[in-house]
Amino acid sequence: MARALALAASVAGRTRPNPPVGAVVVRDGVTVGEGATMPAGGPHAEVTALSEAGDAARGGTLYTTLEPCCHHGRTPPCTDAVLRAGITHVIVATRDPNPLVDGGGVARLRDAGVAVEVGDGEEQARQLYAPFAHWVTSGRPFVTAKYAMTLDGRIATRTGHSRWVSGPEARRLAHRWRDTHDAILVGVGTVIADDPSLTTRLGNTEREPHHPLRIVLDSGGRAPLGARLFDPALPGETWVATTDRMSTDHAAALFERGVTVLTLPEDPDGRVALPALLDALGERERTSLLVEGGSAVLGAFFAARLVQRLRVFIAPKIVGGARAPGPIGDPGIATMDGAIAIEGAGMDTVGADWLIRAELYDPWPPHERTRDECSPVSSKSWAASAR
Ligand SMILES: [Zn+2]
């Protein structure tokens, strides 16, 4: 299962809207086939592993990080392939949160006489599939809020200087997160202050970096056209999420640079309505969104309770200053008993910094099917109807 989980992690960020799955076929203690999910429309991990194994799969064991699917999506059900291959044991890390599967795949295999065990490597698998679980049940991308602050809670000095708060190891890790996300978002304030390119840089690894879709929240069209993000030579795509307040000239100039302009409804403060943005991203099959700030954007996401996962670097340094900004801006909470409580947070050290990790909510559907009731509808139409 460790090998299957490593295969799954190797394709994270590259399979949307499908979840990244790893599968290994073992016969008489020897690995005879393995596979990882290909981009949407390509074969699922189990099918790749089974076809690599061929006849050697007969009487063998399939390890898979996610319950085999039992519905017709863009490809035929994996449960059929497992049965055809003559597999007698299936070890599954976690059941599929997709309401079209959710226990149905396991039930179909058991009904056919295959011995199925669920739960080996489950905790790691659920971390990996939290974005897919959220998207497939809500129709919106799973939102991770990420920021780096000093020990006194500042993301920049009183002059606005912010490079860098955290150390090189933390920044490298942040690039690995970009590599596994479908989309990344910043506000126009960050574009004006820092002029980031938001591309993924993995350093000296063999992995080809994945550049997530870059989104700028810019309700009034204030981001300068010369910003690095609007450079047509950047790898990957850039979108500007805006409102009717952006001038048509500005929108046309962005379009000329290859930038997609997404005009969305306004919230009562005249900014882009975040629920509408998340719906639009979910419809376009973006299952995970990394929000990198700045404080106005993070303030709006937290105020609307739209954050599912938190990743915070704390640097062991102090800058002080009443005007030095904190990570989460307006509107903020009025009284301490209204604070957003974070439960079960974990902490690691990354270089000289600390990393706080917390899940703000569990996206896993609570119920599990025990019968084979796999639906013929595609997951895409289910996600659309779930809203
Ligand atoms: Zn499948």
Side-chain angles (χ1 to χ4, degrees), residues 360-375:
L360 275 57
Y361 124 115
D362 177 10
W364 233 262
H367 300 299
E368 170 175 14
R369 290 169 201 222
T370 50
R371 288 184 299 133
D372 174 3
E373 291 172 334
C374 288
S375 155

Side-chain angles (χ1 to χ4, degrees), residues 201-225:
R201 292 178 294 280
L202 294 178
N204 297 323
T205 59
E206 297 193 350
R207 195 175 167 84
E208 188 64 27
H210 155 75
H211 302 288
L213 166 67
R214 299 172 288 270
I215 302 164
V216 183
L217 271 182
D218 186 6
S219 52
R222 289 195 295 129
L225 292 169

Side-chain angles (χ1 to χ4, degrees), residues 44 46 68-69 78:
H44 291 183
E46 303 94 311
C69 65
C78 287

Side-chain angles (χ1 to χ4, degrees), residues 31 47 81 87 89 93 96 102 104 129 132 168 232 256 260 299 314 329 333 345 376:
T31 297
V47 169
I87 289 284
H89 284 80
D96 189 341
D102 201 9
Y129 299 128
F132 175 72
E256 262 174 36
T260 299
I314 301 178
I333 306 287

Side-chain angles (χ1 to χ4, degrees), residues 143-155:
V143 175
T144 297
K146 176 247 151 182
Y147 54 85
M149 65 181 194
T150 60
L151 202 48
D152 56 332
R154 300 328 204 258
I155 59 167

